[in-house]
Amino acid sequence: MPWKWRLLLISMFVAPVILLAGEAEAQKPTEDNSCVQCHQGLGDPRVTPPAEKFAQDIHMAKGILCHDCHGGDPTNFDPQQAMSRAKGFIGKPTHQTIPTLCGKCHSDAVYMKRFDPTLRVDQVQEYYTSVHGKLLKKGDQKVATCISCHDVHRIRAIKDQQAWTYPVKVVDTCGRCHGDPKYMAGYNIPTDIVAKYKQSVHYEALTKKGDLSAPTCNICHGNHGAAPPGVESVANVCGTCHSVPAELFAKSPHQKAFASMGLFPCVVCHSNHDVMKTNDGMVGTTEKAVCVNCHDPKSVGFKQAATMRNSLDGLRESITRATAVLDQAEHAGMEISQARFELRGAADALLKARVTIHLVDPAAIQKLTDEGDKIATATRAKGVKALEDLAFRHRGLWVSVGIILLVIVGLVLKIREMDRQRERERTGDPPE
Amino acid sequence: MVPPRLVHTLTTWLDERVNLEEIRQFVRHKVVPVHKHTVWYYFGGMTLFLFALQVCTGILLLLYYRPSAEEAYESVQFIVTEVQFGWLIRSIHSWSANLMIATLMIHLFSVYFTRAYRKPRELTWVTGMFLFGIALFFGFSGYLLPWNTLAYFATKVGTDVAGQVPLVGHLITRILRGGADVTGATLSRFYGIHVAVLPLLMTGILGLHLFLVQKQGMSVPIEVEHSGRPPKTMPFFPNFLLRDLVGWLSALAVLAALAAYFPWELGTKADPFAPAPAGIRPEWYFMYMFQTLKYLPAKIGPIDGEFIGVMAFNLGGLFLLLVPFLDRRTARGEKSPLFFWLGVGIVTYIVLLSVLGYVAPGGK
Amino acid sequence: MDTPANSRRGFVNLLLGSGFGAMMVSVLYPVVRYLLPPESGEPTIANVTLPWKPSEIRSNTGRIFKFGTQPGILVKTPAGELRAFSAVCTHLNCTVQYRDEKQDIWCACHNGVYDLNGKNVSGPPPRPLEPYKAFVKGDQIVVSKGA
C-alpha cells in the first residue's frame, strides 16, 4: 500500500482516540467525584435530583463542586468517609444558615475577584436589611432565602434566559410564594399582586414587546434588599424612568397635599402592581376619572379637572379628524406623507399635554393643546386639498372617457357606413 | 385635420424614390376572414396595442426613475406625487402590464383551441410562445423596479424557484440576482433587462411573428377550411382596423379609469433585513405556479417537492411550445380530442389554482 | 349631392374628426405636462437639504428636521462639530431632544439618555440612535443616510 494510504488509515484510528481523550478530560471533574457518582447511581428521588441537575449549574462550570458548599471528601467512595463530619460535611443546610453558606464565597471580595471583578459582594448584607432577611433572623422557616429565588443545584447566570432571575421570569419566581394565598397565610400582605402585575402594561412590555428594561418585582422592590417602597420613595422609584411626570408632580399642589395626607404619589391614581395603560378618561369628572375619588363637585379641583379633560378631548378629536381625512386621501392613492409627518407635531403636543396633567395647571395644558390644534387643523387642510386634487382627477377622467366614447361612437358609425358601402359594392348597387 | 393635398404631395414624393405600390397593393388586398370565431382575432392586435402603450409609458417613466436601491422607491414616489400626471403614467403602466398579459393569454388559448398552430403556422406559434416568455419576464423584472416590500420578497421567492432548475439552477439564480441575495445589484440587472435586453429581444421576435402573420394571412378554423367554400372576408383597411380601434380605445378608457379609481400603490420601501411580511404573493399571472408550489409536500420520495413542481411547469411550457409538432391528428386535418381536453385541463388548472391562490386560507 | 346619406356621412366624419382631435389633446396634454420638470427638481431621497444656514446653528444646540417620513435631529456639539441622527428613540419610538445643560440627547418618555455619538448610555433604550452623515455644502447643510 502506498505510504499516503497508510497514513490515512492510521489517522482514521488515531483521530477518534485523541478526540475522545479530550472529552474524557472535560468529564474528569464528575467522573472521579464520589458525590456525583453515588448520588446519581442511587436513583432515589430524595437524593438523586441534585446530582442530575448540577450538570447545568454555573458553579459546576466554574469548577466549584458539591464539597465546596456541603463539605466532605469527594475523592473517597466510602460513604462514611465521604460524608464524615470530620471532613467538614454539613449535609443539607438548615433554612437559617443558607445566606451565610452562600455568603462564604459571595461576600468574599478577594475570592469573587478570581471569577469576575465587577460582581457585587454585598448581597448577603443587603439581604439582612430586607423583610425576608429580618424574618429569617427571627426564625421564620417559610421566608425566602438565596435558593428560593436563585434555585439550587441548577443555578444559572442572570443573563441565561432560563434563569429564575431572568427579567421575564422574576414575577413567577417571586410569585411562587407571594402569589400563593395558602402559603402566605398569616403574613398579612396581599397575594393578588402577581395576578395584578400580570395585567399591567409593564408586564406586557416585558413579555409581549420584549422590552427588558420594563420594571418587574425587583426593579421597584429591590432584589436582595427586598422591601416595599415607603411613601417618600415611591415617586423616586417610578420617577427613575418616568422622570418628567415625577418632576411635574413635585411642582404641583398635589405633592404637598399627598404628603400631608400620607398618600402614595403615583400609586393613588395609577395603582402599583396593576399599572394599566393610561387614557384620557382618567382625567376629568366622569365616572371612571381618578380626580373624583378625592375632589367633590363643589371644589375648585373638580372644575379644573373638567377643564383639563376638555382640552385633551378637543385636541384628540382634532387629530382624529385630521387623520381620517389623510387616511381617506391615502386610501384613494394620494401621497400625503409630508402632512402625516407634520401631524406628528400635533400628536407630540397631545403627549406633552397629557404628561402636563401631573402639574394640574389647566392654563399650561390649554396652551399645549392650542398648539397641537393649530397643527392638526393645518394638516387636515392639506388632506382636504389632496381630496380635492383627487376629485379633479376623477372629473378629468370622465371628460377623457367622454371624449373617447365620442370617438368610439364615431368609429362605430363609420364602421357601419363602411360595411354598408362594401355591401353595395359587392351586390353592385349604385352608391348612395 | 391633415389636408389631403399635403398627404398627396408627400406620398408622391416618396413614391418617386421608394416604390410604395407594393405596400399599397398589400394594404388594399389584406383581408380578414369572417366566421363565428372572428372575434378572437382582435386579441393579438390588442396585445400589440397594449405593448405599444407599455413602451410609451415606460419611456416616460424612465425619464424620472432611478435604478438604485437607495433611490428607486423615492423616485417612484416622486413621479407619483411631484411630477404632473406622473400618477397617471405610472398607474397606466402597471395596469396595462397586467391587462396585456391577460389579453396575451386569451390570444394564446384562442389560437390553441382553434388549432391555428397547424401547418404552415408552426413558426408563428413557436415565436408566439417565446413572446409569452418574454412578456412574463417583462412582468417579473418590472415588478421589482419600485423596490417596495412586496416586490422585494416576490423577487426573492421567484429567483429561488428559478434555482430549482437542474444543474444550472444555482447559476441562473446567481446571474439573475447579481449575487447570492436580492440586492441593489439585482435591481440594476433587472432594470437593464427590462428596458434594454427584453425590448431588443421582443422587437426581433415580435417582428418575425408579425411578418409571418402578414405573409401567411389569418388562419381559419378547420371546419371552415374544409367546408370547400372560400370564407367570407372583410378588408383589413379600413373595416377590421376600425373595429380594432374601438377595442383599443375602450382599453385606453378602462386603463384611465383604473388609474383614477384604483391607483397602483406605492407600498413601503423594501428593507432586506426585515422579516418577510405575511401574505406575500406574486402577480396573478404567476399565482397558479406559486399556489401549486405551496400545495406540494416538502418531499416526494427522495426528491424535493419544489423541484418536481418546477420541472412540471417546465414540461408544461415545453409541451405548449411543441404542440404543433406533437398534435399529429390536427396535422392530418382530423379532430384532436386529446389535445382539446389537454387544453381544457391546462386552462382549468390555471384558473382554479389562481383562484385558490387568492381565496385559500394561508399556506403551509 | 346633398343627399341624406351624404349629410349623414359628413356628420360621421365631423364627429370622428373632432372627437379624434379632442382625444389627441387629452392624451398629449398630460404627456407634455409630464415632460416639463416639476418645481422640486429631484426626489429627496437619502439626501435632505436642511432649511438652515450653517452659521445659524449655535454650538451646544440641537434641532429636529424631517428625513423622509421620520424625524431626525441635527446637533452641533460644544466643540462645534455638526452631527445628525435619527430622532426616533430606540425604546418606544418617541422623538428625542437635545439637552444643552447636560450636553446629551434625551428622550422625555422614559428618561432614556444618549451621548453625542448617539450611543445609548442610560435608561431603557436598547440600541444607539441611527447615525446620519451631516456636512456643509457651501451655504447649506446636507444630511444623508449612513454614517
Side-chain angles (χ1 to χ4, degrees), chain A residues 61 132 166 238 302 398:
Chain A
H132 296 141
Y166 189 69
C238 307
F302 186 88
W398 291 117

Side-chain angles (χ1 to χ4, degrees), chain A residues 46-290:
Chain A
R46 291 171 299 176
V47 296
T48 306
E52 285 175 337
K53 286 163 73 177
F54 200 56
Q56 291 162 36
D57 192 298
I58 189 173
H59 295 102
M60 151 112 181
K62 302 283 179 192
I64 299 164
L65 306 172
C66 321
H67 62 282
D68 290 308
C69 293
H70 292 282
D73 182 359
T75 59
N76 204 316
F77 278 77
D78 171 7
Q80 299 280 41
Q81 291 299 312
M83 298 189 287
S84 114
R85 295 269 163 208
K87 301 273 176 80
F89 185 70
I90 60 169
K92 182 170 170 178
T94 64
H95 196 68
Q96 258 57 31
T97 59
I98 290 175
T100 327
L101 179 58
C102 302
K104 218 177 53 172
C105 296
H106 283 276
S107 298
D108 183 343
V110 175
Y111 181 72
M112 292 308 291
K113 226 188 194 168
R114 276 169 50 186
F115 300 96
D116 182 352
T118 65
L119 281 178
R120 290 174 63 161
V121 288
D122 61 347
Q123 295 96 330
V124 177
Q125 185 188 24
E126 234 191 324
Y127 173 76
Y128 281 118
T129 69
S130 72
V131 175
H132 296 141
K134 289 189 184 144
L135 287 174
L136 185 75
K137 271 215 172 111
K138 290 203 197 129
D140 190 318
Q141 292 297 312
K142 288 169 81 173
V143 88
T145 64
C146 319
I147 62 172
S148 320
C149 300
H150 289 284
D151 200 355
V152 63
H153 301 128
R154 192 167 43 195
I155 302 175
R156 299 183 196 269
I158 307 173
K159 291 200 178 62
D160 185 330
Q161 284 190 27
Q162 290 183 51
W164 286 12
T165 49
Y166 189 69
V168 175
K169 296 192 152 230
V170 164
V171 65
D172 292 317
T173 302
C174 306
R176 242 195 304 278
C177 298
H178 285 276
D180 184 348
K182 281 203 220 76
Y183 191 82
M184 296 300 291
Y187 286 106
N188 278 330
I189 50 176
T191 49
D192 57 352
I193 44 168
V194 173
K196 276 194 171 157
Y197 174 74
K198 286 195 168 174
Q199 285 172 16
S200 73
V201 70
H202 292 138
Y203 185 66
E204 194 190 323
L206 199 57
T207 52
K208 290 220 190 81
K209 297 202 186 132
D211 181 3
L212 293 180
S213 73
T216 178
C217 318
N218 62 315
I219 303 292
C220 297
H221 291 282
N223 33 20
H224 302 111
V231 172
E232 333 69 48
S233 3
V234 164
N236 290 334
V237 168
C238 307
T240 316
C241 291
H242 298 278
S243 60
V244 176
E247 272 169 35
L248 290 169
F249 180 86
K251 288 193 236 167
S252 77
H254 280 161
Q255 157 92 326
K256 258 212 194 126
F258 276 41
S260 68
M261 290 191 279
L263 289 174
F264 283 86
C266 315
V267 179
V268 168
C269 298
H270 292 284
S271 195
N272 42 10
H273 298 109
D274 50 342
V275 178
M276 306 301 266
K277 196 158 160 54
T278 51
N279 60 77
D280 290 343
M282 288 168 71
V283 174
T285 53
T286 50
E287 200 192 303
K288 290 232 171 91
V290 297

